[in-house]
Amino acid sequence: MSHSADYPKAFQDTFDSPEGLADRIAEILECPITIEDANHRIISYSKHDKNVDEARIATIIQRSVPENVITCLWESGVMAWLFESSEPVFVPAIEKVGLGNRIAIAVHKHQEVLGFIWAQTYDTTITNERLSLMKDAAKLVKNQLHQHHLKKKESEASYQEFFWQLLAGHIQLPAEIRRQARRFGLELGDPLSIAMIAFDGNVTQTIEKHAYYLTETFQQPYAVCRIFDQNQLIILVNLESVPNPRKKMKAFVQDFITKLAERIGIDYAKGAFGLVYSSPVNMKDSYREAVNVLELKDQFPSALQHVHGYHELGIYQFLHELKAIRKRDNYRNDALERLKAYDKKNRSDLVASLHAYLACDSNVYNAAKRMHVHANTLNYRLKRITDIGEINLKDPNQKITIYLDILIECMEHGDL
């Protein structure tokens, strides 16, 4: 290696391509180099000999860092360091994902991460001189990554209006939708779905930064585009070639929330997704369904705690429509009204007990546990319910009807 005094001069050379820049850094540091944008997509990489690890090979083939490698780097604390610091860091090998020893540095501009430089160091001794060279390389790469960052932001701004038109159903022809998508470089596959992440309170720059980062680093399913609407993140998801799309969408939403919680301490986000459709024309429907799921999760936080997909709602899918019908017809369930009147007069819990019993599929033991009472106590209440409400709890039609009306009451007044 040449004397360190020569490096500043070497880094001042002009380069006719991003690859030429990566090759020059690799030559100076004497190890293979990868330059990535802020979402781990390759900008350029240097030539290398045969002694490279599996993670580097997979990254070059996919043109982005594999998702399992990114996850391990977060778990090890490396990514958290890089997002907060402009100093280089030594990354020990992670054998389970084929990652060898690395030196890494994040390229920052005004507190924003523009990208990363990764140097595969084999078993080379990590000296202060080598770490200093990584910082010089980051300064050299900053302008290139900044230009890439500006182009990406311009692209995102340009597709926002198209995305809103898609969600509103203003574009009705599939061919026109796909034509406009190609214009903005969006890959619409088949099938597609809309996912939504709702945050409790204002969305900070930190939340927005990490939420966008996650949409870019998930590789299957693939997030085509995303946009924030007040405190909600809306994501168009491409599920092409994904086995069991509904199961994968649920995992996508759950993983998204889990990773936000792990990385920035956000534990108050809710996730939802609409049905999976083969045509982009139906994204307005998937969006409306995802919104419906979020609204119902707010109204029934306990019952729908683990529900994310519209298809998982069951009878909850129809509550808004049924509520509108009941209101239009000025309908009241006489049995339920009698039970409510009895509860009010006697300060009892017959309606709540009936709700728990029906929600637990008529299982007395589970319902009693939910109500924190003895099973004999609940059996006594059920007898009072049948007498006062004049309800036959062995008749499924009566049970379903009063259960739906109890849920509508919960929508209007909260848990009973």
Side-chain angles (χ1 to χ4, degrees):
M1 182 182 289
S2 303
H3 192 273
S4 61
D6 295 330
Y7 296 137
K9 182 177 180 180
F11 275 136
Q12 291 173 9
D13 292 346
T14 57
F15 304 93
D16 57 2
S17 69
E19 288 71 23
L21 175 55
D23 282 335
R24 187 58 176 150
I25 297 172
E27 178 185 345
I28 292 171
L29 290 172
E30 295 183 341
C31 53
I33 293 292
T34 305
I35 302 173
E36 304 164 6
D37 68 12
N39 301 310
H40 302 292
R41 300 186 186 279
I42 286 186
I43 300 297
S44 61
Y45 61 93
S46 67
K47 297 187 288 290
H48 56 251
D49 56 27
K50 296 181 179 179
N51 188 23
V52 294
D53 57 40
E54 295 175 10
R56 178 175 171 83
I57 293 171
T59 297
I60 292 172
I61 291 174
Q62 296 177 195
R63 302 298 300 176
S64 63
V65 180
E67 193 173 323
N68 62 338
V69 175
I70 297 172
T71 298
C72 285
L73 290 170
W74 275 102
E75 290 174 349
S76 68
V78 169
M79 291 310 307
W81 168 272
L82 290 174
F83 265 92
E84 299 301 327
S85 174
S86 297
E87 294 296 318
V89 61
F90 171 66
V91 184
I94 307 176
E95 293 183 2
K96 66 179 181 180
V97 292
L99 185 78
N101 294 332
R102 295 281 196 281
I103 307 175
I105 189 169
V107 181
H108 291 258
K109 184 177 179 64
H110 303 313
Q111 306 302 315
E112 186 170 16
V113 174
L114 300 177
F116 309 94
I117 304 174
W118 298 83
Q120 183 183 333
T121 57
Y122 309 113
D123 296 321
T124 305
T125 301
I126 308 302
T127 63
N128 289 334
E129 179 182 62
R130 192 176 290 270
L131 295 177
S132 179
L133 288 172
M134 283 291 285
K135 295 177 72 171
D136 288 338
K139 294 175 184 177
L140 182 68
V141 168
K142 180 183 292 187
N143 184 60
Q144 184 184 87
L145 288 178
H146 182 57
Q147 294 303 316
H148 173 82
H149 179 71
L150 290 178
K151 288 180 181 178
K152 186 171 182 60
K153 290 189 75 171
E154 289 174 3
S155 174
E156 290 172 356
S158 64
Y159 75 55
Q160 287 185 0
E161 182 178 353
F162 162 70
F163 192 19
W164 278 121
Q165 288 180 330
L166 189 64
L167 296 175
H170 292 165
I171 314 176
Q172 294 293 328
L173 298 177
E176 176 62 16
I177 292 173
R178 295 191 182 278
R179 185 191 70 78
Q180 291 201 37
R182 287 193 297 270
R183 173 187 165 200
F184 298 117
L186 304 177
E187 299 178 12
L188 297 185
D190 176 7
L192 298 160
S193 182
I194 295 294
M196 294 182 66
I197 308 295
F199 300 91
D200 185 11
N202 294 329
V203 175
T204 65
Q205 287 187 343
T206 298
I207 293 174
E208 183 174 320
K209 177 176 67 176
H210 281 272
Y212 278 175
Y213 171 84
L214 278 174
T215 63
E216 294 284 348
T217 53
F218 275 108
Q219 293 168 6
Q220 195 185 42
Y222 168 68
V224 178
C225 55
R226 69 280 193 281
I227 191 171
F228 265 102
D229 180 26
Q230 297 183 350
N231 70 326
Q232 295 179 337
L233 175 64
I234 309 167
I235 311 168
L236 174 59
V237 182
N238 181 344
L239 294 148
E240 189 169 8
S241 302
V242 174
N244 200 334
R246 291 196 306 192
K247 183 177 180 180
K248 197 66 177 181
M249 280 296 293
K250 187 176 181 72
F252 174 87
V253 169
Q254 290 174 323
D255 287 350
F256 201 103
I257 294 171
T258 299
K259 285 181 167 62
L260 280 177
E262 292 172 347
R263 296 174 187 181
I264 55 175
I266 296 296
D267 58 359
Y268 48 79
K270 294 187 292 291
F273 64 95
L275 295 180
V276 175
Y277 293 95
S278 60
S279 172
V281 170
N282 296 111
M283 288 306 94
K284 66 182 187 303
D285 304 310
S286 190
Y287 172 56
R288 186 184 66 251
E289 290 154 1
V291 169
N292 197 4
V293 175
L294 288 177
E295 290 176 350
L296 288 167
K297 284 173 75 71
D298 281 338
Q299 293 166 334
F300 303 96
S302 178
L304 301 181
Q305 179 181 359
H306 302 293
V307 169
H308 296 96
Y310 185 76
H311 69 285
E312 299 176 296
L313 287 174
I315 61 172
Y316 287 89
Q317 288 183 12
F318 313 109
L319 288 185
H320 287 292
E321 289 80 0
L322 184 56
K323 177 184 174 182
I325 293 171
R326 294 298 204 216
K327 185 175 182 180
R328 182 196 67 195
D329 297 341
N330 198 27
Y331 170 87
R332 289 291 182 270
N333 187 306
D334 291 339
L336 183 56
E337 291 300 314
R338 286 192 292 270
L339 293 174
K340 286 167 58 180
Y342 183 90
D343 279 345
K344 184 177 181 180
K345 180 179 179 180
N346 297 279
R347 297 182 180 179
S348 56
D349 293 312
L350 295 188
V351 175
S353 298
L354 179 58
H355 184 189
Y357 174 71
L358 297 174
C360 292
D361 196 23
S362 303
N363 185 302
V364 172
Y365 175 80
N366 290 340
K369 187 176 180 181
R370 175 170 168 171
M371 291 292 295
H372 305 291
V373 299
H374 194 277
N376 290 340
T377 301
L378 183 59
N379 275 321
Y380 172 77
R381 291 180 184 177
L382 291 173
K383 186 176 185 307
R384 297 293 294 150
I385 288 168
T386 58
D387 291 341
I388 296 167
E390 301 177 14
I391 305 168
N392 180 3
L393 292 179
K394 293 184 179 180
D395 183 342
N397 288 324
Q398 290 189 40
K399 289 200 297 184
I400 291 171
T401 299
I402 198 165
Y403 183 50
L404 288 170
D405 286 328
I406 288 173
L407 293 180
I408 292 171
E409 287 281 335
C410 290
M411 291 178 70
E412 294 179 346
H413 308 296
D415 287 338
L416 300 173

